[in-house]
Amino acid sequence: MLATLRAYNDVRRIGALSFACPHLQQCSAGSPRFTTAKEAYVGPEYEKGTLPRLLFLSLDSASAETEAAARTMEANRTWMRTALFASFPKGRHWYETHQLAWTLLRPFSRDLTVERIGPYFAHTNSAKCCENHPGRALASETLFRNCRPYIPDEIRLLRPDILVTQGDYARDAISGAFEMESQQVGTGDAGACKATKLRLTPTQRTIWFHTYHPSAYGLYWRQKNSCWPFFTDAAVAFLRDRTPTASPRPTLVVPKSAAPPIHTGPAAPRPRKVLPPLPAPPSRSAGSTGSSLHTLVAAFNSVFGVTGRPFGSPHSRHEGVSDDAAGVQWNAGVERDANYAWLGVNLEGMAYDDWPIARFIERELDRPTLPDLCRTLPHADTIVMSWTRDAWQAAARLPIAEIQIGPTPRRLDNLTPEVWRTILLEAYQCLDANRGHRGRAIQSVTLKNGPAKKGVSPHLHIERVLWRGVPKSEDEADAAMEQARTFLRPLYDFIEARSR
C-alpha cells in the first residue's frame, strides 16, 4: 500500500520528497512559514487489514516539520511508533482521534486498548501543505480548494472500510466525490449523527461518518456524547458478514487480509459462492484442465466475493473468469497448453469511461512511474506483463501475427524505463490519433488468409502463476489466490489510479 501511495504522490507531484505542485505559488503567497506536503500516516496493521480499515480525513496539519524527510509516510509511522497516548493533550485533535478510533474498532478486537490503537488506523489531511499559523490556526481556504482534486484517488488507494471526516473542509472534499448508496440518520444532536454508505469504486464500499473537528469545542463534544454510540452500531452493521466482533453482536466472518495467509493448523472451511453451471469436472489429477478450471472459478469467486463472468471456451487456449469491471479488472484463467492457472490484472482497449487505457498510456509517457514501482515489489520476478494488439471484426477479436506489442511478455523485474517507453509508444499507436487517441486505430495486420486492414486497440495484462496442475484442496487453492492478489494489489491500484 505504501508503494502504491508513493507512486500516486509522485505522479501528482504532492509527495514530501517529490513536491512540485502547480499551486505552490498561489498557496504559499503571504505565508512566510509555509511548508510543503505532509504525507499520510498509515498504521502497519491498517495496511495489513488486520481489523476493518479506519481512515480519518482531517483539515491541514496546523504545524509541520521544516525538513521534508520528516513529513514522509515512513517518518510519520516512525513517529507514531514511539509516541505515547498519555502525552497527547486531552481534548485536542490527536487525543480525540485515538479515542474515536478505539471506540469504532474495539467491537472487532476484544483486547484492543486506546493506548495501542495507533497501528490500526490511517490519517491524511485534506490540505497537504501547511501555513504554520501561530496557535495552530486553520489554513486558508485556498489550500483546501487546490488540494480537493487529489483526495478521492488517495482515498481509493487507502481502501477504507470506515471513513471519518473531521471538519467542514474535510467533508467538502468527500461530498459529491463518490456514489452515495444510502444514508441513515440517528436520533441524536438534531441530525448530526449520519452514517452514509459510499461506493468508492465498482468493488469498494465504505461507511462514512462526518464529525466536527475537536477545535469546534461545543459542537464537537455535543456530537461526541450523542453520536459515537450510533457510529459504532452503524459500523458494525455495515461490516456484518465481513469481520468478527468480540461483543455479543451478530457473528461476523473473517475479513480479507492484505497479507498472504499463513496456515498453522486445521481451519473452518470458507463459505463457497454458488458457481455458474459448468460441465462435470474430471477427477483431480495433474494435467486435468477441467478440474483446474473448476477449482480456479471456485477460488476466484470465494476470494473476490463475486460470481465471475466466464471468458474463453473449452476449445480455446485459455479459459477463465473476470470480475467484469468497466475498466481495470481482476481475472483468472487456465492455460491449457502449459497446464497452469494464473491471476491477472487486466485493462482492455475499450471505450468504458472515455478510454481509460489511453489515459494510462498518456500519463506514463508524460511521467513514467511503473518501473520505479516494480523495483519496490518484493516478488516482481514472479509477475509477467504482456501488451497485445487486439484486432477486431465487429465485436470479435481476430487471430493475427502481430499480436504482441513491444518486447513482451516481460517479467517486471526486467522492466527498464527505456523498454517501458518503447512499449508505451507502440501501444499508443494502436489508438486513433485523429480522435485524440480515443478509439481504435486502423492498421495493417496479417490474418490466416493474408494481410488486411483492421481496427486495433492495445490490451494490458499482468499475471502471476497460481499453480501448476491442480491444487490438492479448496483451502490450498484459496490460499494461492489470496497470496497472488496480495502480490498484484499494488499494480491493480496503480493502474486503476493512473487510468481514472
Side-chain angles (χ1 to χ4, degrees):
M1 182 177 286
L2 293 193
T4 309
L5 288 167
R6 167 74 55 237
Y8 176 73
N9 288 339
D10 290 346
V11 166
R12 302 306 297 268
R13 304 182 185 184
I14 56 171
L17 301 177
S18 59
F19 189 84
C21 179
H23 304 297
L24 174 60
Q25 185 174 358
Q26 180 187 20
C27 290
S28 62
S31 299
R33 302 173 62 190
F34 188 90
T35 51
T36 55
K38 179 179 181 180
E39 296 175 352
Y41 164 69
V42 182
E45 299 303 322
Y46 178 100
E47 184 176 16
K48 294 176 184 177
T50 306
L51 296 178
R53 288 193 173 106
L54 168 60
L55 171 63
F56 291 89
L57 177 66
S58 189
L59 303 175
D60 66 311
S61 61
S63 65
E65 299 287 343
T66 56
E67 292 294 327
R71 303 194 301 270
T72 65
M73 289 181 285
E74 294 78 9
N76 295 337
R77 186 176 282 187
T78 299
W79 181 83
M80 275 291 288
R81 191 161 50 239
T82 58
L84 297 176
F85 172 75
S87 68
F88 304 143
K90 290 185 177 181
R92 302 291 290 272
H93 172 249
W94 209 229
Y95 182 94
E96 292 300 318
T97 297
H98 279 67
Q99 287 276 6
L100 181 52
W102 178 58
T103 299
L104 291 174
L105 292 181
R106 63 182 172 181
F108 305 96
S109 177
R110 186 174 290 106
D111 300 323
L112 199 62
T113 65
V114 70
E115 291 81 8
R116 297 184 178 181
I117 193 65
Y120 295 91
F121 70 84
H123 176 277
T124 192
N125 296 107
S126 52
K128 303 304 179 186
C129 296
C130 184
E131 292 176 321
N132 292 285
H133 289 310
R136 301 173 61 87
L138 186 66
S140 66
E141 182 181 359
T142 301
L143 272 69
F144 295 99
R145 184 176 63 248
N146 287 338
C147 279
R148 200 163 294 155
Y150 304 134
I151 304 303
D153 281 343
E154 182 183 27
I155 288 174
R156 290 186 182 98
L157 295 177
L158 284 163
R159 307 196 303 274
D161 298 302
I162 305 168
L163 173 64
V164 176
T165 50
Q166 299 174 304
D168 289 349
Y169 286 126
R171 177 199 60 203
D172 294 345
I174 300 301
S175 298
F178 305 108
E179 176 189 349
M180 186 176 78
E181 292 186 346
S182 63
Q183 186 175 80
Q184 179 185 359
V185 179
T187 57
D189 199 17
C193 308
K194 294 180 181 178
T196 306
K197 296 176 184 177
L198 300 177
R199 185 170 292 278
L200 307 183
T201 73
T203 58
Q204 282 183 261
R205 299 170 67 241
T206 191
I207 188 165
W208 169 31
F209 307 125
H210 175 63
T211 71
Y212 295 107
H213 193 274
S215 60
Y217 190 80
L219 294 171
Y220 172 80
W221 282 96
R222 188 165 70 245
Q223 186 190 44
K224 176 178 180 177
N225 294 330
S226 178
C227 298
W228 282 21
F230 167 77
F231 291 158
T232 302
D233 289 342
V236 170
F238 174 72
L239 293 165
R240 187 171 294 130
D241 299 328
R242 293 179 61 187
T243 312
T245 61
S247 62
R249 300 173 189 255
T251 303
L252 313 177
V253 193
V254 176
K256 301 168 186 173
S257 173
I262 300 173
H263 297 283
T264 57
R270 180 199 299 269
R272 312 296 297 183
K273 290 277 182 181
V274 177
L275 307 182
L278 291 168
S283 61
R284 288 182 181 267
S285 62
S288 172
T289 55
S291 179
S292 182
L293 177 61
H294 277 75
T295 302
L296 175 91
V297 173
F300 184 87
N301 289 351
S302 177
V303 169
F304 286 90
V306 300
T307 299
R309 179 179 179 178
F311 63 81
S313 72
H315 307 292
S316 59
R317 181 173 63 86
H318 54 248
E319 188 177 2
V321 290
S322 78
D323 64 5
D324 200 28
V328 183
Q329 298 177 342
W330 289 104
N331 63 0
V334 293
E335 295 292 326
R336 301 186 191 282
D337 296 342
N339 190 29
Y340 73 88
W342 48 262
L343 178 68
V345 177
N346 193 58
L347 179 59
E348 300 185 38
M350 293 187 174
Y352 295 131
D353 175 23
D354 194 29
W355 293 86
I357 200 166
R359 293 194 292 269
F360 176 78
I361 294 171
E362 288 164 353
R363 288 166 181 167
E364 281 296 284
L365 283 171
D366 177 58
R367 189 179 174 87
T369 53
L370 181 59
D372 291 337
L373 173 61
C374 291
R375 285 196 291 271
T376 71
L377 300 176
H379 302 281
D381 60 332
T382 67
I383 301 171
V384 175
M385 176 180 69
S386 180
W387 281 83
T388 53
R389 179 183 283 101
D390 289 337
W392 297 91
Q393 181 71 44
R397 290 181 175 89
L398 301 172
I400 59 173
E402 302 84 358
I403 188 169
Q404 292 301 145
I405 292 177
T408 69
R410 192 174 195 86
R411 274 185 4 203
L412 291 187
D413 62 330
N414 291 327
L415 184 65
T416 65
E418 295 76 20
V419 169
W420 182 224
R421 181 169 179 81
T422 298
I423 296 169
L424 290 169
L425 289 171
E426 185 176 345
Y428 203 43
Q429 291 171 0
C430 296
L431 296 167
D432 188 356
N434 295 324
R435 289 190 283 168
H437 296 275
R438 297 305 189 270
R440 298 171 184 169
I442 302 297
Q443 292 185 354
S444 296
V445 296
T446 307
L447 304 173
K448 289 182 178 180
N449 57 355
K453 289 187 177 293
K454 294 293 181 182
V456 299
S457 60
H459 186 160
L460 169 61
H461 184 76
I462 297 175
E463 69 178 47
R464 185 176 193 272
V465 172
L466 289 166
W467 56 73
R468 299 185 185 277
V470 184
K472 296 178 181 178
S473 67
E474 290 182 349
D475 286 343
E476 183 179 315
D478 285 357
M481 187 71 69
E482 286 273 18
Q483 185 182 67
R485 182 175 66 165
T486 298
F487 293 161
L488 293 173
R489 170 63 77 175
L491 294 161
Y492 176 94
D493 291 342
F494 173 80
I495 296 169
E496 187 181 49
R498 292 290 263 163
S499 62
R500 187 176 299 115

